[in-house]
Amino acid sequence: MKRTFLLLFVAMMKGSMIFAQVNPSVDEGYVFVTNLKSYSKKSLKSKALSTISAGHVAIIDENNSLNFHLIEASESITLGNGAFHEYYPPAQDDVPAEYISSAAFKKAVRKVSISKQMPTTWELGKVYSFKPFSPNADYQSITVRPLRLSSNNVTLVTMKDEDFQPTSSINISGEIIVEIAFDNNKVYLYNGQQVVLETNDSDENGYSFLVVDDKGITYSQNEKGVRQPNNKLSYVFGEYPELDYFGWISNTEIVIDNSLYVTTSTSS
């Protein structure tokens, strides 16, 4: 099985354009509600190798395979019709298949729909706090705040050429952007995909951090916390995003990368 990194861009073989990967509005996937073991052979009597932990989330792709969203590695399950599925544990290179029982898989998972659209019960501007379903998740505390962009003429670069120069943009003024805070860091997402300042790699004065305030106004900020208005944004091109995947299962459950998070509280 050929394994590839899950990047936020793909390059066209001929030319020149680099496109942002646009996620569908709803994905289908599975939440692991209990741990699931893999084996070296298609036999429960063979050596146990890996464990997929409860709280992990896999997304169904167009080939009916399951992919776990990781930043710098790949992990997947190839669903089969027999007694075992093929499992490829997290790795950056090709690895041999391991095997998971089809019957055990059915008992270990819950099928879910994951939306990029904010639940109707959520309120703009509110901060929603989450904790991981599994203690092994990357982040032990997450806050999510949806905001409506109020700056005029907020542009988002959606395509760049091979020199990473913008070639296509859209206006997202008035649209909802989602702020994710974790580990003293803030990331902003539009339609489930990370956005950054369009000029964040070249600003000589250090205004390289995107900030959206309570009123939905976009700024560039330097390391000292000084802000200046900036309405030019971009999807992430040419590097790994800080978060690869985000979506809502319900008003109390979210998915970040390959992990399930459940709500703890809300505040204004």
Side-chain angles (χ1 to χ4, degrees), residues 85-131:
H85 302 312
E86 293 181 352
Y87 170 62
Y88 295 85
Q92 293 185 337
D93 300 308
D94 290 345
V95 294
E98 300 175 9
Y99 300 94
I100 56 177
S101 161
S102 302
F105 172 82
K106 288 182 180 180
K107 295 179 180 179
V109 298
R110 167 170 62 102
K111 192 170 184 179
V112 294
S113 296
I114 305 168
S115 175
K116 304 302 187 302
Q117 304 301 314
M118 182 182 77
T120 57
T121 55
W122 277 39
E123 298 180 32
L124 291 172
K126 267 198 171 182
V127 176
Y128 295 79
S129 297
F130 288 83
K131 63 181 180 180

Side-chain angles (χ1 to χ4, degrees), residues 165-196:
Q165 296 302 308
T167 59
S168 180
S169 301
I170 59 174
N171 189 312
I172 58 171
S173 301
E175 296 289 328
I176 294 174
I177 197 167
V178 178
E179 176 189 273
I180 311 288
F182 57 94
D183 294 346
N184 297 317
N185 192 18
K186 288 184 178 179
V187 171
Y188 294 92
L189 307 173
Y190 176 69
N191 282 344
Q193 192 168 334
Q194 185 178 349
V195 296
V196 294

Side-chain angles (χ1 to χ4, degrees), residues 186-250:
K186 288 184 178 179
V187 171
Y188 294 92
L189 307 173
Y190 176 69
N191 282 344
Q193 192 168 334
Q194 185 178 349
V195 296
V196 294
L197 293 169
E198 199 280 312
T199 56
N200 71 328
D201 291 329
S202 58
D203 189 272
E204 297 178 356
N205 298 313
Y207 288 88
S208 57
F209 303 102
L210 171 63
V211 173
V212 183
D213 71 8
D214 296 345
K215 297 180 180 180
I217 298 174
T218 54
Y219 296 89
S220 55
Q221 178 175 295
N222 64 18
E223 292 183 352
K224 296 180 179 180
V226 180
R227 300 176 181 179
Q228 60 184 19
N230 190 326
N231 59 4
K232 298 184 183 301
L233 311 182
S234 173
Y235 282 131
V236 178
F237 293 94
E239 59 185 19
Y240 290 108
E242 293 179 76
L243 298 179
D244 186 53
Y245 187 86
F246 172 81
W248 285 273
I249 294 176
S250 69

Side-chain angles (χ1 to χ4, degrees), residues 36-51 84-89 95-101:
L36 181 65
K37 289 188 176 296
S38 66
Y39 297 86
S40 60
K41 298 179 181 179
K42 294 181 180 181
S43 170
L44 297 180
K45 295 182 180 180
S46 64
K47 181 180 179 181
L49 296 177
S50 303
T51 299
F84 286 86
H85 302 312
E86 293 181 352
Y87 170 62
Y88 295 85
V95 294
E98 300 175 9
Y99 300 94
I100 56 177
S101 161

Side-chain angles (χ1 to χ4, degrees), residues 3-4 69 111 159 176 193 229 233 241 250 258 263:
R3 305 174 63 80
T4 57
H69 279 262
K111 192 170 184 179
M159 187 187 305
I176 294 174
Q193 192 168 334
L233 311 182
S250 69
N258 66 338
T263 189

